[in-house]
Amino acid sequence: MPSVKKRSSQAAPIEPFFYAPTGQKFIGEPRCLFIDIETSPSLGYVWGKYEQDVMEFESDWTILSFAYKWLHEKRVYVFSCRNHTEEELMYALWELLDRADVVMGQNIDRFDLRKINARFLVYNIEPPSSYITIDT
């Protein structure tokens, strides 16, 4: 009777890995950040309610606050203009985005990140390191 070779139960575990947008391979679990921002409206003068051009802006929109949470952590953190200037919020957002490998949020590609990047320009803040987005 031919012998059957059994698999060794001592096989080395496979390291998880993923590829960043730059093509760089990362070993280990990615740093996943959940984020959400809240903005103020732009205020201006108009002649009517529907399909009107703005005659003059009183004030442009700003980022009022943001909340974030790292995957596998229980605590949710909130930064707001009650305790910080908008510029301080933007530098805090930059630090978080720069540390993240994956950024997740509701409508993050079409709203949150566009607003964040626009405010980075206002404060002359360079873009953070690249990351993958997951828009829910």
Side-chain angles (χ1 to χ4, degrees):
M1 173 174 264
S3 65
V4 177
K5 190 171 184 180
K6 292 185 177 180
R7 277 191 189 197
S8 169
S9 62
Q10 301 298 322
I14 298 173
E15 281 279 341
F17 68 91
F18 73 101
Y19 288 97
T22 59
Q24 183 179 4
K25 183 176 180 180
F26 286 89
I27 302 296
E29 189 171 327
R31 293 166 296 199
C32 298
L33 176 68
F34 297 92
I35 198 159
D36 184 42
I37 66 168
E38 300 302 328
T39 60
S40 68
S42 295
L43 300 177
Y45 295 97
V46 296
W47 286 109
K49 290 184 182 181
Y50 303 103
E51 298 182 21
Q52 301 291 314
D53 291 329
V54 177
M55 295 180 297
E56 181 181 344
F57 275 105
E58 185 72 26
S59 64
D60 204 0
W61 64 272
T62 61
I63 293 180
L64 296 174
S65 65
F66 70 90
Y68 74 94
K69 179 188 177 302
W70 291 101
L71 185 64
H72 303 305
E73 287 187 11
K74 291 183 179 184
R75 187 166 178 196
V76 175
Y77 299 89
V78 177
F79 278 69
S80 79
C81 283
R82 285 186 177 184
N83 306 323
H84 304 280
T85 65
E86 186 189 31
E87 186 172 12
E88 290 171 333
L89 293 180
M90 298 316 302
Y91 279 103
L93 273 168
W94 186 92
E95 289 288 336
L96 292 167
L97 293 173
D98 195 58
R99 289 176 40 206
D101 298 315
V102 178
V103 179
M104 295 175 267
Q106 180 70 40
N107 202 22
I108 196 167
D109 288 329
R110 292 185 298 165
F111 183 79
D112 298 62
L113 291 175
R114 288 183 184 188
K115 295 287 188 181
I116 290 168
N117 289 330
R119 297 314 280 180
F120 281 164
L121 290 173
V122 168
Y123 293 106
N124 295 316
I125 300 172
E126 293 290 321
S129 302
S130 61
Y131 47 82
I132 298 168
T133 62
I134 298 176
D135 194 334
T136 60

